Amino acid sequence: MPIAFSIFVENMENKALYIETYGCQMNVNDSEVVAAIMQPEGYRLTERMEDADVIFVNTCSIRENAEQRIWGRLDVFRLEKRRNPALLVGVLGCMAERLKEELLEKGIVDLVAGPDAYRSLPLLVAQAETGQKGINVLLSREETYADISPVRMDKNGVSAFVSIMRGCNNMCSYCVVPYTRGAERSRNPETILHEVRELFDKGYREVTLLGQNVDSYHWSEGTTSMSFAQLMEQVALVDPLLRVRFATSHPKDMSDEVLHTMAKYPNICKHIHLPVQSGSTRILELMNRKYTREMYLERIAKVREILPDCTVSTDVIAGFCTETEQDHHDTLSLMKEVGFDMGFMFQYSERPNTKAARHFKDDVPEQEKNRRLNEIITLHNELSLQNNEQEIGKVREVLVEGVSKRSAEELFGRTSQNKVVVFPKNNYKVGDYVNVKIERCSSATLMGAPQI
Ligand code: SAH
Ligand code: SF4
Ligand code: F3S
């Protein structure tokens, strides 16, 4: 699901920037980097689009409906511009990279900046102020924004995203990311550790290390080098009270070393996001995922062996090119075999210029894709309910993230296993670790009472 939220920055001349973010966690962190780049230019934060002098929309191209949603937002910004003709609108992120001129042709867009071009935003804005449209969609082999301290946009001050790498070299045949975000590059570990320490000192108690494929994190300088497992260990050592999460792992690259490091440190959360995409080896090959059904199940067996208390979440695509009923059933049977705790499930959406778009026919009818997706979702809900029921009676340590949406008298947070828990507030506050005895559950949430 796209995440949308906003920030607001204003400067000495009382100029204000409003940012809307769509897409993945990495985009959320990128918007924080963008806010940090704009801040020295004198901008300050608020949340009202109506007050904005500049609107940035940080976009996603992963599926067609993600792009449709952005076109819809541009219509809203057009109305805003009618009210305030001096307003500038900038399109950032993956869709900016993919559609460049098409976006600029849309009268209301004043500037377009791709994911590696954010340092040039002050210049592009200045240019747009003079009435010239600004564009920078150059992809870089080096840019990691390593030296930039993101302006945090999370509302709770407890958990933060830290990007450890950018881009992707994997070329899954359905995916636009390698085209919109360019080649994979890892960020200097010193800058990562510095950022994590700063976050901890400010009161943050959880960091999520982000990359499209964290297992291929690799840094080398002179004679020293660092793998993902080593980096994760360094981050875990910052403080035992700091929880460490990471996403996304790739089944073809997730090493035993990573699993052993997770087992060694109680503050590394016992949850792995391991997208499977399909349970059919034939489809996985067409997707260019570079693992088979059996290899995926072998990785799961290793997780169970080394980390018996670890949850696994996944991504599934329904109705990829040539997918048969049998392939679909292979996906359902794999889901049952693994028993995923959480999942993101999508209908295949053909993306222009990807390998799948160029070489395969998008031949599963819409209605059929929809039916298969619904079967996947129904099964997933059953499986996650079963898993959650196993939690009843256990005592779990919960890091409090906020007040429950349903009641001001309840707090919510997550277990190390990434399950959301709701419980009575008592005297606890955001950022506390609370031992909660699980009493009830739904397929999405656990409910319980603090253990005194
Ligand atoms: N780097 C991660 C996630 C990338 S995008 C990984 O390799 O798994 C997040 C998810 O979006 C993917 O895991 C995939 O399930 C889904 N996705 C990507 N492209 C898609 C497409 N063209 N149609 C439908 N879902 C897609
Ligand atoms: Fe896309 Fe595959 Fe890279 Fe994930 S690993 S971002 S699905 S190309
Ligand atoms: Fe979307 Fe780009 Fe992330 S396409 S999922 S915003 S990497």
Side-chain angles (χ1 to χ4, degrees):
M1 282 299 283
I3 319 155
F5 65 92
S6 48
I7 58 152
F8 184 42
V9 198
E10 225 172 288
N11 78 3
M12 281 121 26
E13 305 142 44
N14 244 1
K15 280 196 178 176
L17 167 66
Y18 169 85
I19 308 185
E20 261 181 37
T21 308
Y22 297 85
C24 57
Q25 296 170 332
M26 201 153 276
N27 246 19
V28 173
N29 191 228
D30 278 7
S31 289
E32 298 179 325
V33 166
V34 166
I37 290 169
M38 296 304 286
Q39 209 169 40
E41 305 298 309
Y43 288 80
R44 88 169 161 85
L45 300 179
T46 179
E47 286 186 9
R48 288 161 48 88
M49 172 167 75
E50 310 82 80
D51 297 340
D53 296 286
V54 177
I55 292 176
F56 284 159
V57 54
N58 194 359
T59 60
C60 176
S61 284
I62 200 83
R63 285 166 290 275
E64 196 187 342
N65 57 12
E67 291 193 349
Q68 289 301 338
R69 187 156 174 209
I70 306 295
W71 290 117
R73 289 307 289 161
L74 291 179
D75 289 333
V76 173
F77 301 151
R78 182 201 306 280
L79 296 179
E80 207 49 43
K81 212 161 171 167
R82 219 171 271 164
R83 213 179 46 82
N84 169 16
L87 174 68
L88 296 177
V89 175
V91 180
L92 279 45
C94 291
M95 195 173 161
E97 192 63 47
R98 201 180 83 73
L99 294 173
K100 310 166 187 130
E101 285 88 5
E102 265 176 86
L103 283 161
L104 277 184
E105 277 162 20
K106 183 117 176 154
I108 67 140
V109 177
D110 300 289
L111 63 103
V112 168
D116 288 343
Y118 297 149
R119 285 182 204 266
S120 65
L121 278 170
L123 205 75
L124 294 174
V125 169
Q127 198 177 328
E129 277 169 348
T130 70
Q132 260 181 297
K133 298 220 172 197
I135 179 164
N136 186 349
V137 288
L138 287 178
L139 286 173
S140 155
R141 291 197 162 267
E142 287 91 35
E143 181 63 272
T144 57
Y145 302 112
D147 55 314
I148 294 177
S149 252
V151 172
R152 298 294 161 184
M153 283 195 254
D154 59 277
K155 298 272 194 299
N156 60 22
V158 172
S159 81
F161 296 132
V162 176
S163 294
I164 61 165
M165 56 208 294
R166 299 182 70 82
C168 185
N169 285 349
N170 278 324
M171 294 303 210
C172 302
S173 62
Y174 51 81
C175 185
V176 286
V177 173
Y179 306 94
T180 61
R181 297 217 158 222
E184 181 187 284
R185 68 222 95 123
S186 295
R187 177 177 169 191
N188 181 328
E190 278 312 314
T191 68
I192 297 170
L193 289 165
H194 176 76
E195 189 176 324
V196 171
R197 285 188 203 107
E198 255 184 16
L199 284 165
F200 186 77
D201 291 343
K202 281 189 198 147
Y204 282 83
R205 290 295 172 265
E206 182 175 88
V207 292
T208 304
L209 307 177
L210 295 179
Q212 294 297 350
N213 178 4
V214 289
D215 302 294
S216 57
Y217 177 89
H218 180 79
W219 178 262
S220 59
E221 205 168 36
T223 52
T224 61
S225 72
M226 196 178 274
S227 67
F228 175 61
Q230 290 165 330
L231 173 71
M232 184 162 66
E233 177 158 39
Q234 291 303 310
V235 176
L237 287 168
V238 165
D239 198 291
L241 282 179
L242 180 74
R243 278 187 172 182
V244 184
R245 298 186 184 277
F246 56 90
T248 301
S249 305
H250 198 301
K252 78 177 164 64
D253 297 317
M254 189 184 66
S255 66
D256 292 354
E257 192 195 356
V258 166
L259 302 180
H260 286 300
T261 307
M262 288 175 76
K264 195 166 154 196
Y265 294 92
N267 60 327
I268 302 182
C269 290
K270 302 300 178 277
H271 164 237
I272 300 174
H273 185 58
L274 197 65
V276 67
Q277 316 299 0
S278 168
S280 152
T281 294
R282 188 183 72 82
I283 293 293
L284 288 170
E285 197 175 337
L286 285 179
M287 288 177 163
N288 199 28
R289 289 290 287 181
K290 300 203 162 73
Y291 54 86
T292 60
R293 175 191 176 95
E294 289 69 32
M295 285 158 77
Y296 186 89
L297 290 171
E298 184 278 329
R299 286 291 77 199
I300 295 291
K302 264 287 180 239
V303 172
R304 305 286 187 230
E305 176 194 321
I306 300 172
L307 300 161
D309 207 16
C310 185
T311 53
V312 182
S313 59
T314 201
D315 294 345
V316 178
I317 298 177
F320 186 65
C321 312
T322 78
E323 188 187 78
T324 62
E325 195 61 23
Q326 180 57 49
D327 295 318
H328 170 59
H329 278 275
D330 288 348
T331 297
L332 295 174
S333 74
L334 179 132
M335 288 173 67
K336 279 187 211 150
E337 202 164 332
V338 177
F340 293 110
D341 296 272
M342 291 143 269
F344 300 92
M345 296 146 280
F346 315 99
Q347 270 185 48
Y348 172 59
S349 162
E350 185 179 86
R351 308 312 293 130
N353 300 322
T354 54
K355 189 176 167 221
R358 283 183 279 119
H359 298 289
F360 314 136
K361 204 162 159 237
D362 181 12
D363 57 357
V364 179
E366 190 64 21
Q367 218 185 338
E368 187 60 23
K369 279 183 189 169
N370 198 264
R371 181 188 62 81
R372 292 180 192 176
L373 178 65
N374 284 333
E375 286 183 12
I376 288 170
I377 293 174
T378 306
L379 174 63
H380 176 75
N381 290 343
E382 283 168 23
L383 294 171
S384 43
L385 179 63
Q386 281 170 21
N387 284 331
N388 282 353
E389 282 166 350
Q390 300 290 315
E391 292 291 296
I392 294 175
K394 289 184 186 159
V395 175
R396 293 292 193 188
E397 186 182 63
V398 175
L399 173 60
V400 183
E401 287 175 39
V403 176
S404 157
K405 271 184 219 121
R406 273 182 301 166
S407 157
E409 293 309 306
E410 288 179 325
L411 296 171
F412 80 94
R414 276 176 299 157
T415 65
S416 167
Q417 289 74 13
N418 208 31
K419 295 194 187 246
V420 174
V421 182
V422 176
F423 61 95
K425 191 165 176 234
N426 299 351
N427 289 322
Y428 298 110
K429 55 183 193 312
V430 172
D432 284 350
Y433 283 104
V434 183
N435 285 321
V436 178
K437 183 162 188 185
I438 310 304
E439 294 169 337
R440 287 167 293 128
C441 72
S442 68
S443 66
T445 315
L446 305 176
M447 285 143 280
Q451 282 289 96
I452 320 283

